[in-house]
């Protein structure tokens, strides 16, 4: 698996020229993301769209919201529209394989972003954050802030997304070295703020003295923070997130979120489109390796002011 280390995270979001006009002589790039209501996936779609238009393509952004049937329908639409390429954030590691295969069988190259599928050799590329590296980065910071002791809870993402298990395993690898850290519960909250809030409410009622929370993404962490604040239990509780969302950055500035792990979504969303463009024009891969990892960065109170745009950290 190719590892893309600290690339120019500053270059992806803030300034991207858009080509005028809806039609393009270079064809259509169909971009399918999860749910743009989440700022992470919104950034993913908008950066990919802007890059495609910069390169002279027409670009559309659609959302499957984690539903494989919707995803399949959107792939059908891309096929019907004669897309030159599909940029896809897959809904399900196993359940999205059929949709990818359908596009490939129709002669449309597919470039996956953010999440992988459990089959190699179908997509031209799978570009994802280095979730294991990012999880270890976050867990080390979290352990340091907890002092290596206390009663904590973990929020787990969508089980159908391999990223959820990768992050949780990364946390466990670090935290298991500290026997005085006691996990009270692990709750599935499906990357969702409301579920994080509701699950945290129940945990507060069932457990006295929760000292820390580690979450698989920012939305779940922010939901937990809201519940802790409502219950008057926020003081002294260490909460860690993952994504680098604007709301998470605001929470760090407010002294509520201890840190977040920045996923370079703007970088790999742009890179996927550029690799698609190269393949469309040459019939060859720009990067030979199918699975490509992009390193994450840590945002803390010490460097939060360097965060200049959604999912961009200048170092």
């Amino acid at each position: 698996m190719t590892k893309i280390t600290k690339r120019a995270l500053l270059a992806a979001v803030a300034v991207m020229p858009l080509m005028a006009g809806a039609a393009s002589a270079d064809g259509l790039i169909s971009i399918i993301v999860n749910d743009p209501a989440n700022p992470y996936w919104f950034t993913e779609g908008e950066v990919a769209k802007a890059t495609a238009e910069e390169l002279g393509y027409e670009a559309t952004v659609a959302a499957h919201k984690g539903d494989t049937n919707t995803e399949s329908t959107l792939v059908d639409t891309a096929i019907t529209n004669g897309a030159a390429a599909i940029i896809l954030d897959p809904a399900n590691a196993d359940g999205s394989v059929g949709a990818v295969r359908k596009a490939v069988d129709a002669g449309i190259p597919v470039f996956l972003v953010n999440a992988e599928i459990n089959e190699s050799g179908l997509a031209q590329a799978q570009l994802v954050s280095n979730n294991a590296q990012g999880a270890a980065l976050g867990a080390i910071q979290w352990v340091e802030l907890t002092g290596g002791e206390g009663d904590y809870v973990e929020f787990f993402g969508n089980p159908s997304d391999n990223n959820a298990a990768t992050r949780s395993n990364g946390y466990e690898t670090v935290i298991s070295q500290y026997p005085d850290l006691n996990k009270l519960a692990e709750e599935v909250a499906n990357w969702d703020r409301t579920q994080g809030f509701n699950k945290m409410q129940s945990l507060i009622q069932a457990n006295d003295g929760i000292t820390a929370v580690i979450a698989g993404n920012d939305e779940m962490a922010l939901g937990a923070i809201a519940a802790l604040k409502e219950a008057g239990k926020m003081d002294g509780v260490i909460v860690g997130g993952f994504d680098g969302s604007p709301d998470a950055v605001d929470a760090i500035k407010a002294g509520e979120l201890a840190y977040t792990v920045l996923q370079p979504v703007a970088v790999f969303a742009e890179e996927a489109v550029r690799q698609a463009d190269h393949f469309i024009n040459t019939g060859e891969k720009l990067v030979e390796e199918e699975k490509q990892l992009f390193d994450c960065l840590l945002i803390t109170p010490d460097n939060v002011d360097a965060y200049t745009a959604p999912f961009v950290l200048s170092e």
Side-chain angles (χ1 to χ4, degrees):
M1 183 178 282
T2 296
K3 181 171 137 178
I4 313 295
T5 56
K6 290 185 181 178
R7 302 173 70 119
L9 297 184
L10 188 61
V13 176
V15 181
M16 272 190 192
L18 301 181
M19 299 294 291
S24 168
D26 290 331
L28 170 70
I29 291 183
S30 293
I31 301 155
I32 304 172
V33 301
N34 192 315
D35 184 358
N38 183 312
Y40 178 86
W41 286 311
F42 176 80
T43 298
E44 179 181 78
E46 290 304 299
V47 169
K49 183 175 185 289
T51 306
E53 291 177 343
E54 177 193 352
L55 293 170
Y57 295 91
E58 180 184 356
T60 61
V61 180
H64 54 64
K65 298 186 177 180
D67 183 77
T68 54
N69 291 325
T70 301
E71 178 184 56
S72 181
T73 299
L74 292 172
V75 168
D76 287 338
T77 300
I79 294 170
T80 299
N81 290 339
I86 294 173
I87 309 297
L88 172 66
D89 188 336
N92 187 297
D94 293 311
S96 297
V97 171
V100 175
R101 181 179 289 112
K102 181 166 49 176
V104 172
D105 288 347
I108 301 175
V110 179
F111 294 78
L112 303 181
V113 291
N114 182 59
E116 302 175 50
I117 58 171
N118 289 332
E119 187 164 334
S120 299
L122 286 177
Q124 294 297 324
Q126 301 193 50
L127 298 88
V128 300
S129 297
N130 190 342
N131 283 279
Q133 172 263 346
L137 192 67
I140 290 168
Q141 177 74 3
W142 183 86
V143 166
E144 181 178 332
L145 293 171
T146 63
E149 62 182 11
D151 294 330
Y152 75 96
V153 295
E154 177 184 347
F155 286 95
F156 191 95
N158 188 333
S160 69
D161 184 342
N162 286 347
N163 291 339
T166 299
R167 292 175 198 172
S168 184
N169 291 339
Y171 293 159
E172 179 63 20
T173 297
V174 174
I175 296 170
S176 63
Q177 300 175 53
Y178 298 86
D180 291 331
L181 281 166
N182 175 42
K183 183 190 283 190
L184 296 173
E186 180 179 304
E187 295 286 346
V188 173
N190 292 299
W191 310 128
D192 185 74
R193 190 180 304 199
T194 299
Q195 291 188 40
F197 176 83
N198 292 335
K199 294 291 179 71
M200 192 69 215
Q201 279 191 320
S202 298
L203 288 166
I204 291 168
Q205 293 169 6
N207 300 279
D208 189 34
I210 294 171
T211 60
V213 177
I214 191 164
N217 81 335
D218 288 335
E219 289 296 293
M220 296 186 295
L222 293 169
I225 287 171
L228 287 162
K229 289 170 66 177
E230 183 179 274
K233 302 283 189 179
M234 186 69 217
D235 189 40
V237 178
I238 303 300
V239 182
F242 199 115
D243 273 348
S245 74
D247 286 351
V249 167
D250 289 342
I252 291 172
K253 291 178 178 178
E256 297 170 348
L257 186 67
Y259 68 86
T260 182
V261 176
L262 174 70
Q263 291 197 82
V265 60
V267 175
F268 59 68
E270 177 184 356
E271 179 67 13
V273 176
R274 295 196 181 280
Q275 291 188 24
D277 173 62
H278 183 85
F279 187 84
I280 291 165
N281 287 307
T282 68
E284 297 179 352
K285 292 184 177 184
L286 181 62
V287 176
E288 189 59 35
E289 193 75 22
E290 177 182 336
K291 294 188 177 182
Q292 303 164 38
L293 293 176
F294 292 71
D295 273 356
C296 301
L297 298 172
L298 191 68
I299 301 179
T300 71
D302 292 335
N303 68 350
V304 69
D305 289 337
Y307 182 99
T308 57
F311 304 95
V312 177
L313 180 65
S314 174
E315 284 205 335

